[in-house]
Amino acid sequence: MVPIIAGNWKMNKDVTESRALVQELLGLVSDTKDRIIIVIPPFTSLSHVSEIIHNTRVKLGAQNMHWARSGAFTGEISGLFLKNIGCEYVVIGHSERRHIMGENDETINKKLKTALDIGLISIFCVGETGEERDKGQTEEVILRQLNKGLEGIENEVHKIILAYEPVWAIGTGKTASPQQAAQIHQFIRSQLRKNTAILYGGSVKPENVDILMAEKDIDGVLVGGASLKPESFARIIRFSTP
Ligand code: PGA
């Protein structure tokens, strides 16, 4: 499986900053082969970044979309609009959307179905909170997120990318150990009807990417904070395993 390195910029980088970031990144990674590189800027920057990465190895993703194709949904964005400006990927069910914006398994399921229908590749995020882990509920929570999120599309999971993002590791500097992550990746894989890529996310940085990527069940990484600086994201893209 070709490793997938995705950078989620979250609500950072205006258009000017986005253009500069991606331009610098291209200069640093243009010779990198055998990696799928995805940048995931905020909506306002997507079309600008799309023009810059056209005909390069860097691919475009969005951070969210609505489940309907169009209609009276003020403030929402259709997946069709994303495709139209060159997005190939869309993050669905990120923990910040679940925990801050109130998304639930049912709406996430609708979004995954629509993305499949219109031909966008979802990066479907699952993961437990620190409290759930402390209570020994990690597998139960992930199983619920997988079962409800993938309801009705279980046989198409090979067209979706999974991301295991323990909430306690996101933006906290606390990374899951490679063993902890690999254990959950194996659990997730054992629950899927078909094989697909499973990314790890949560405080991935240049200092820990090599040991994480050395785990055979970790097929790539979803990077937040460390994707906002071209040098650190380029180093992550250039990870090397022993
Ligand atoms: P982080 O974010 O790398 O800043 O922890 C990861 C994510 O939320 O995808």
Side-chain angles (χ1 to χ4, degrees):
M1 212 178 278
V2 182
I4 300 168
I5 313 293
N8 171 13
W9 300 359
K10 307 192 179 183
M11 199 173 74
N12 295 294
K13 305 290 177 189
D14 64 19
V15 168
T16 315
E17 293 163 338
S18 296
R19 296 178 67 98
L21 172 54
V22 80
Q23 239 139 11
E24 221 179 305
L25 181 71
L26 282 177
L28 295 171
V29 300
S30 54
D31 61 334
T32 333
K33 295 195 180 65
D34 62 28
R35 304 276 192 272
I36 294 172
I37 306 167
I38 309 167
V39 290
I40 311 175
F43 286 129
T44 42
S45 295
L46 284 171
S47 51
H48 299 268
V49 171
S50 182
E51 274 173 30
I52 296 172
I53 63 179
H54 187 65
N55 282 334
T56 74
R57 302 196 45 258
V58 176
K59 297 182 180 297
L60 192 64
Q63 299 176 14
N64 180 34
M65 59 170 240
H66 194 262
W67 61 80
R69 290 163 184 248
S70 66
F73 300 102
T74 302
E76 292 292 328
I77 299 285
S78 160
L80 290 174
F81 306 163
L82 300 175
K83 271 199 86 173
N84 180 251
I85 56 166
C87 285
E88 292 177 65
Y89 299 87
V90 62
V91 177
I92 302 288
H94 189 280
S95 67
E96 285 148 17
R97 305 253 4 130
R98 291 178 189 264
H99 296 288
I100 307 172
M101 308 308 295
E103 286 201 21
N104 59 39
D105 293 318
E106 285 73 30
T107 54
I108 288 166
N109 176 248
K110 288 196 210 176
K111 291 180 181 195
L112 289 171
K113 284 180 172 159
T114 305
L116 270 175
D117 272 356
I118 65 179
L120 275 171
I121 302 173
S122 294
I123 302 177
F124 169 33
C125 304
V126 297
E128 80 287 4
T129 63
E131 200 185 329
E132 288 161 343
R133 175 164 281 261
D134 292 344
K135 287 192 193 147
Q137 296 170 342
T138 301
E139 293 194 351
E140 184 191 320
V141 168
I142 290 173
L143 194 58
R144 190 206 73 226
Q145 292 172 338
L146 287 175
N147 285 344
K148 294 202 167 169
L150 295 172
E151 203 174 295
I153 46 174
E154 297 87 351
N155 289 327
E156 289 179 90
V157 72
H158 56 293
K159 299 178 199 159
I160 292 174
I161 296 171
L162 266 289
Y164 169 53
E165 295 210 309
V167 180
W168 49 270
I170 295 179
T172 58
K174 277 193 243 167
T175 320
S177 70
Q179 296 72 27
Q180 268 173 332
Q183 191 193 349
I184 301 300
H185 281 226
Q186 279 159 21
F187 173 72
I188 293 172
R189 213 179 289 286
S190 73
Q191 300 302 320
L192 302 178
R193 292 217 192 139
K194 294 189 176 161
N195 194 24
T196 193
I198 307 178
L199 316 184
Y200 168 78
S203 298
V204 175
K205 36 195 179 224
E207 297 77 37
N208 59 24
V209 66
D210 297 344
I211 49 167
L212 286 163
M213 287 305 297
E215 292 291 335
K216 73 168 180 14
D217 277 298
I218 300 183
D219 304 309
V221 285
L222 180 54
V223 188
S227 70
L228 297 174
K229 293 214 172 75
E231 316 75 46
S232 69
F233 193 49
R235 168 63 184 85
I236 291 171
I237 291 166
R238 290 175 185 284
F239 76 87
S240 67
T241 54

